[in-house]
């Protein structure tokens, strides 16, 4: 069915919306996290169970995108009665159908509970994890079925596109985006409206728009969730952007490691074509546009825009000199606008609610909301969307629920390998582009990793250098050889072989790599080193001078011992030890033979009494 | 060879499609056979060295065959912090091979990946594309034992 | 024409020229390694970095001259950066004459990194020479990051290679990669040692760089152990 006019779309929207409200709805989270925990089985069980009670037609069963609270998955939410269940297993399904759906009785044990008050809550919005969030881009995640375009239309989807194509000129669209103050969500925060204006002005026989879904930051999955949970918002944003800059073709570049995102996008594109939102004369206007998917083959550097262009052209992802910028010379030399997934997903809602509405969210220089993947050593891990300007403390302590007792939070790493580690002392910093950059980190694409007192900052720096020396394209000397040398120096520190001179050399090298590298990867690669040096210098010194790892992480500098007072002699650790290094009688304190111990930590992992200590 | 021909046909013999073509070949054979690379180079008319560069540059390609089971340990930041490295060491002990290698019996390929996008459930291990969330060394040993036993059972039945 | 200022001196140069060309027009010398006027600019060695008015360091060989740009070619930051880059280069190619000379010029007196003799700085001149001038496309980069190296497909002698020796000719650190005739994984496979091993025959056949090895003398012939360079080894390969 092709939609040709705005009126036709509105009629369809009303019809779908009305149909939607008539049935009770069961939503099973189909995000990757919940799938990993078996939500596919839960869904299948719902299907058979509903059929058994004869409710298959009466209930709207959906497999939705990620809710964000992946940690507690699989998640299931019901609309009547309105209730939110966590940790649902397939075997819980019969009870949910029989009790909750049919009789309206809430199953207490499946409810989430508020860690502050200890009370069980019925709705997800009541959890502190969601209370401080402001879901704009993620508003439909966990609500709609991403494989059905009608779900998106029912909630007003593509209406904005219709309005734009029939009532606004490209110039007006660009002006609205400029006024909203939207900045790129892919890292550097370049004003999107300005980028579009440059692309519109650039001469070119043909123009392209590209969605950057490479998401190479290890430890982040924001873009994945948007693409998997609400692909049409990205597609709609790209069509609008293409109209504004005068592009006729578009590419969605998405990493192959996200097979579900690729599949969801393929379905979404086919449906958008079927409804006439892609193709010739969209909304009967003079504007034609189509999109294709290009799968990334796995390279962090491919997220850099010139490297991404190389990959799209079928070459190795090697960045090149900018200028010329992609808006001047992009794919095959044509002007190209490259924006991040989240940037594109923001476009329809800005045009729908107006730039003033958007500009009211956030701070003076950073507008709107930002999605973070909050992971690491915090109580609540998952995906959160907050207004810009919230402090790190609110994000980590309130939404994240603080440390995992008995540990204490020490720092956050923000911005992935290009970002930096910020210490607890800076937690009152508002999350906006400028504040983070000033502190030596950067917004990045939204990875936020919490670290506690059991995280060694030297080891973290070493980890990132190991990542970067491998992910660097290897083209330019400072990045290729510099990250490798920094890794060597940091390894020496972690192994207790380093001297003060090495520390000095590390700092000097980091500075030069930052200044002289060709592309953003090399230019930001030293950030993890420089920020940990700036804020956690004492940890480096402990490794170098006292040959000690304060966090108890660096293997060469630690020992495992059994605390005789805590050890109950349960022998649980004796058999798992791969070295047979643990001896002791039942009910007697055990002992680790340091000669045999290879410090694998398995005893630490299995001991239920916390008797194995790291010194 | 016919299959490769079909894969090239699917996209068209153009330079811009070579990465997609190689991805599909990799998906089909679980590695990139040398003949396949030469065939693609000849059909798309691009230098073989360019394909070889691509095949060695991107993570998802492998020039050697994979084992029966592919075990991937996530070493993304979240998983690293929560002990991914220890899982790698445990597997090296269990399998007797290093990361990136195949066990001599061809049963297990052991690889590491950097983030599979489920960081909230760190540390993760993927075995044959199935996710094992919140993995421990203990659980890993158990899963391996199960895989080995399954094979023995299969072999016991003539 | 584009007007810009290099070290405070005004210079006019045609549109599209690089900062390096502009500096050369003024006779200002900027050290380069991966640049050759006959090949496309690549920007890999970063030795030619210069400081722009906004404090950024960019490579002069690739950065386009822009109207009103202010460039400093030898500011303290630039010199400090070059020194570190040379130290890094020397740590992977300690015996190169060209690098040693550069080190002397820039007062690099020590190498603080563990030396690892790679005999290749991956400047990519040979790769561009092979592709752009010889149109052979026989060699290229493989792997990425710190595992990157230059070789032929599958490390085997390439059918595309015409044994022109262009790669050896252009190599700035020289003595690279070549394993002499007969080695199964030579980059071009053509290079007899610069001093031919077959003096009497050589005079007659003049086979150097041409039909090398055809007569077989050099393959069988006497060779001193140091008459060819060893293999580039020691890097971990992606499999
Ligand atoms: C090493 C490196 C990796 C990058 N990775 C990504 C990425 O995964 N996703 C992304 O959207 N942008 C990434 N970027 C930023 C892009 O180059 C580009 O700035 C961005 O896609 C522009 O979109 P925006 O203006 O919407 O942010 C990366 C940049 C660098 C230097
Ligand atoms: S900075 Fe690193 S990633 Fe970027 S071009 Fe240089 S080597 Fe490649
Ligand atoms: S870090 Fe392991 S899944 Fe992201
Ligand atoms: S000469 Fe300019 S980067 Fe090498």
């Amino acid at each position: 069915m092709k939609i040709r006019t705005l009126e036709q779309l509105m009629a369809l929207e009303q019809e779908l919306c009305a149909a939607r409200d008539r049935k009770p709805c069961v939503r099973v989270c189909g995000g990757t996290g919940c799938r990993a925990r078996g939500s596919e089985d839960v869904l299948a069980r719902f299907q058979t169970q509903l059929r058994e009670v004869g409710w298959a037609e009466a209930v709207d069963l959906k497999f939705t995108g990620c809710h964000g609270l992946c940690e507690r998955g699989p998640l299931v939410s019901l609309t009547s009665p309105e209730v939110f269940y966590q940790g649902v297993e397939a075997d819980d399904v019969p009870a949910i159908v029989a009790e909750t759906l049919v009789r309206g009785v809430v199953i207490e044990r499946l409810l989430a509970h508020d860690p502050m008050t200890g009370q069980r809550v019925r709705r997800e919005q009541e959890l502190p994890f969601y209370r401080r969030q402001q879901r704009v881009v993620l508003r439909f995640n966990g609500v709609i079925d991403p494989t059905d375009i009608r779900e998106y239309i029912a909630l007003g989807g593509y209406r904005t596109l219709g309005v734009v194509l029939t009532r606004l000129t490209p110039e007006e669209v660009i002006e609205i985006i400029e006024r909203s103050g939207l900045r790129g969500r892919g890292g550097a925060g370049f004003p999107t409206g300005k980028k579009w204006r440059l692309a519109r002005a650039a001469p070119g026989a043909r123009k392209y728009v590209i969605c950057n879904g490479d998401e190479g930051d290890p430890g982040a999955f924001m873009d994945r969730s948007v693409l998997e949970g609400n692909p049409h918002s990205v597609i709609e944003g790209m069509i609008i952007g293409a109209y504004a800059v005068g592009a006729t073709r578009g590419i969605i570049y998405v990493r192959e490691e996200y097979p579900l995102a690729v599949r969801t996008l393929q379905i979404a594109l086919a449906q958008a074509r079927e409804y006439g939102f892609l193709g010739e004369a969209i909304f009967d206007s003079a504007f034609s546009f189509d999109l294709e998917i290009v799968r990334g083959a796995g390279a962090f550097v491919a997220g850099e825009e010139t490297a991404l262009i190389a990959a799209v052209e079928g070459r190795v992802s090697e960045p090149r000199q900018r200028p010329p910028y992609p808006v001047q010379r992009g794919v095959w030399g044509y002007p190209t606008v490259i924006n991040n997934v989240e940037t594109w997903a923001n476009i329809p809602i800005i045009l729908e609610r107006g730039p003033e509405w958007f500009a009211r969210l956030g701070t003076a220089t950073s507008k709107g909301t930002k999605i973070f993947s909050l992971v690491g050593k915090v109580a609540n891990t998952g995906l959160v969307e907050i207004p810009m300007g919230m402090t790190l403390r609110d994000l980590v302590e309130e939404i994240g629920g603080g440390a995992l007792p008995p540990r204490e939070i020490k720092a956050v790493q923000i911005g992935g390998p290009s970002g930096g580690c910020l210490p607890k002392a800076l937690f009152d910093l508002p999350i906006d582009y400028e504040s983070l950059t000033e502190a030596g980190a950067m917004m990045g694409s939204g990875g936020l990793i919490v670290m506690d007192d059991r995280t060694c900052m030297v080891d973290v720096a070493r980890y990132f250098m190991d990542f970067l020396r491998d992910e660097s394209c290897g083209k330019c000397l400072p990045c290729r050889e510099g990250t490798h040398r920094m890794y060597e120096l940091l390894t020496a520190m972690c192994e207790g072989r380093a001297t003060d001179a090495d520390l000095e050399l590390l700092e000097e090298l980091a500075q030069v790599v930052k200044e002289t590298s060709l592309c953003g990867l090399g230019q930001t690669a030293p950030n993890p080193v420089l920020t940990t040096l700036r804020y956690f210098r004492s940890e480096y010194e402990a490794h170098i001078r006292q040959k000690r790892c304060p966090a108890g992480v660096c293997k060469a500098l630690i020992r495992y011992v059994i605390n005789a007072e805590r050890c109950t002699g349960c022998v649980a650790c004796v058999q798992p030890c791969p070295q047979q290094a643990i001896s002791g009688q039942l009910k007697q304190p055990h002992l680790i033979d340091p000669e045999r111990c290879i410090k694998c930590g398995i005893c630490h992992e299995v001991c239920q009494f916390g008797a194995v200590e790291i010194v | 060879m016919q299959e490769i021909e079909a894969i090239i046909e699917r996209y068209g013999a153009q330079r811009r499609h070579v990465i997609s073509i190689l991805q599909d070949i990799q998906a089909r054979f679980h590695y990139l056979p040398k003949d396949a690379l030469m065939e693609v180079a000849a059909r798309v008319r691009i230098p073989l060295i360019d394909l070889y560069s691509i095949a060695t540059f991107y993570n998802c390609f492998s020039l050697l065959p994979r084992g029966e089971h592919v075990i991937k340990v996530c070493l993304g930041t979240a998983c690293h912090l929560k002990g991914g490295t220890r899982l790698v060491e445990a597997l090296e002990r269990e399998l007797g091979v290093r990361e990136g290698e195949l066990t001599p019996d061809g049963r297990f390929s052991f690889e590491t990946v950097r983030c599979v996008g489920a960081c909230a459930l760190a540390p993760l291990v993927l075995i044959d594309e199935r996710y094992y969330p919140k993995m421990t060394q203990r659980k890993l040993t158990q899963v391996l034992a199960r895989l080995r036993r399954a094979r023995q059972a299969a072999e016991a039945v003539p | 024409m584009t007007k810009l200022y290099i070290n405070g001196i005004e210079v006019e140069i045609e549109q599209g020229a690089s900062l390096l060309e502009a500096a050369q027009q003024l006779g200002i010398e900027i050290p380069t390694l991966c640049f050759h006027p006959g090949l496309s600019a690549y920007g890999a060695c970063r030795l030619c970095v210069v400081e722009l008015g906004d404090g950024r360091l960019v490579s002069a060989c690739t950065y386009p001259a822009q109207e009103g740009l202010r460039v400093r070619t030898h500011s303290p930051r630039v010199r400090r950066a070059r020194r570190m880059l040379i130290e890094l280069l020397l740590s992977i190619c300690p015996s190169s004459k060209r690098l040693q000379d550069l080190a002397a010029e820039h007062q690099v007196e020590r190498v603080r990194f563990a030396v690892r003799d790679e005999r290749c700085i991956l400047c990519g001149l040979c790769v561009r020479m092979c592709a752009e001038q010889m149109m052979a496309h026989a060699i290229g980069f493989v792997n990425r990051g710190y595992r990157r190296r230059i070789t032929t497909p599958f490390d085997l002698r390439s059918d595309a290679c015409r044994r022109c020796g262009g790669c050896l000719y252009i190599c700035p650190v020289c003595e690279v990669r070549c394993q002499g005739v007969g080695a199964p994984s030579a980059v071009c496979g053509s290079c007899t040692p610069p001093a031919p091993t077959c003096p009497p025959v050589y005079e007659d056949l003049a086979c150097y760089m041409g039909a090398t090895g055809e007569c077989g003398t050099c393959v069988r012939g006497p060779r001193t152990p140091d008459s060819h360079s060893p293999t580039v080894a020691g890097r971990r390969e992606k499999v």
Side-chain angles (χ1 to χ4, degrees), chain B residues 79-90:
Chain B
C79 292
H80 171 78
L81 286 191
K82 295 215 170 164
T85 334
R86 294 197 183 276
L87 298 176
V88 171
E89 289 162 2

Short mmCIF file of all heavy atoms in Angstrom, two decimals, chain B residues 79-90:
data_model
loop_
_atom_site.label_atom_id
_atom_site.label_comp_id
_atom_site.label_asym_id
_atom_site.label_seq_id
_atom_site.Cartn_x
_atom_site.Cartn_y
_atom_site.Cartn_z
N CYS B 79 33.46 -6.16 29.73
CA CYS B 79 33.81 -7.55 30.00
C CYS B 79 35.23 -7.66 30.56
O CYS B 79 35.51 -8.50 31.40
CB CYS B 79 33.64 -8.39 28.74
SG CYS B 79 31.92 -8.55 28.23
N HIS B 80 36.11 -6.81 30.08
CA HIS B 80 37.47 -6.81 30.62
C HIS B 80 37.46 -6.51 32.11
O HIS B 80 38.08 -7.19 32.91
CB HIS B 80 38.33 -5.78 29.88
CG HIS B 80 39.68 -5.57 30.49
ND1 HIS B 80 40.71 -6.45 30.31
CD2 HIS B 80 40.16 -4.60 31.31
CE1 HIS B 80 41.78 -6.02 30.98
NE2 HIS B 80 41.46 -4.91 31.60
N LEU B 81 36.69 -5.47 32.48
CA LEU B 81 36.65 -5.07 33.88
C LEU B 81 36.08 -6.17 34.76
O LEU B 81 36.41 -6.31 35.91
CB LEU B 81 35.78 -3.83 34.07
CG LEU B 81 36.36 -2.52 33.61
CD1 LEU B 81 35.50 -1.38 34.11
CD2 LEU B 81 37.78 -2.36 34.12
N LYS B 82 35.18 -6.94 34.19
CA LYS B 82 34.53 -7.96 34.99
C LYS B 82 35.20 -9.33 34.84
O LYS B 82 34.61 -10.35 35.14
CB LYS B 82 33.05 -8.03 34.65
CG LYS B 82 32.35 -6.73 35.04
CD LYS B 82 30.95 -6.98 35.53
CE LYS B 82 30.35 -5.74 36.12
NZ LYS B 82 28.91 -5.82 36.26
N GLY B 83 36.42 -9.32 34.33
CA GLY B 83 37.19 -10.56 34.37
C GLY B 83 37.28 -11.35 33.08
O GLY B 83 37.54 -12.55 33.12
N GLY B 84 37.06 -10.68 31.93
CA GLY B 84 37.15 -11.39 30.66
C GLY B 84 38.52 -12.04 30.44
O GLY B 84 38.62 -13.14 29.91
N THR B 85 39.56 -11.33 30.87
CA THR B 85 40.92 -11.86 30.66
C THR B 85 41.11 -13.18 31.38
O THR B 85 41.80 -14.07 30.90
CB THR B 85 41.96 -10.87 31.19
OG1 THR B 85 41.38 -9.57 31.15
CG2 THR B 85 43.21 -10.89 30.36
N ARG B 86 40.52 -13.29 32.55
CA ARG B 86 40.66 -14.54 33.30
C ARG B 86 39.98 -15.69 32.56
O ARG B 86 40.44 -16.83 32.61
CB ARG B 86 40.05 -14.40 34.69
CG ARG B 86 40.81 -13.42 35.52
CD ARG B 86 40.49 -13.56 36.99
NE ARG B 86 41.20 -12.54 37.74
CZ ARG B 86 42.46 -12.66 38.14
NH1 ARG B 86 43.10 -13.76 37.88
NH2 ARG B 86 43.05 -11.69 38.79
N LEU B 87 38.89 -15.37 31.90
CA LEU B 87 38.23 -16.40 31.11
C LEU B 87 39.11 -16.85 29.95
O LEU B 87 39.18 -18.03 29.62
CB LEU B 87 36.89 -15.89 30.57
CG LEU B 87 35.84 -15.50 31.62
CD1 LEU B 87 34.61 -14.91 30.96
CD2 LEU B 87 35.45 -16.72 32.45
N VAL B 88 39.82 -15.88 29.37
CA VAL B 88 40.72 -16.22 28.28
C VAL B 88 41.81 -17.16 28.78
O VAL B 88 42.10 -18.20 28.17
CB VAL B 88 41.36 -14.95 27.67
CG1 VAL B 88 42.46 -15.31 26.68
CG2 VAL B 88 40.30 -14.12 26.98
N GLU B 89 42.37 -16.82 29.93
CA GLU B 89 43.42 -17.66 30.49
C GLU B 89 42.90 -19.06 30.82
O GLU B 89 43.56 -20.07 30.57
CB GLU B 89 44.02 -17.00 31.73
CG GLU B 89 44.87 -15.78 31.40
CD GLU B 89 45.10 -14.89 32.62
OE1 GLU B 89 44.64 -15.24 33.74
OE2 GLU B 89 45.73 -13.84 32.44
N ALA B 90 41.69 -19.08 31.37
CA ALA B 90 41.12 -20.38 31.72
C ALA B 90 40.94 -21.23 30.48
O ALA B 90 41.25 -22.43 30.47
CB ALA B 90 39.76 -20.17 32.41
#
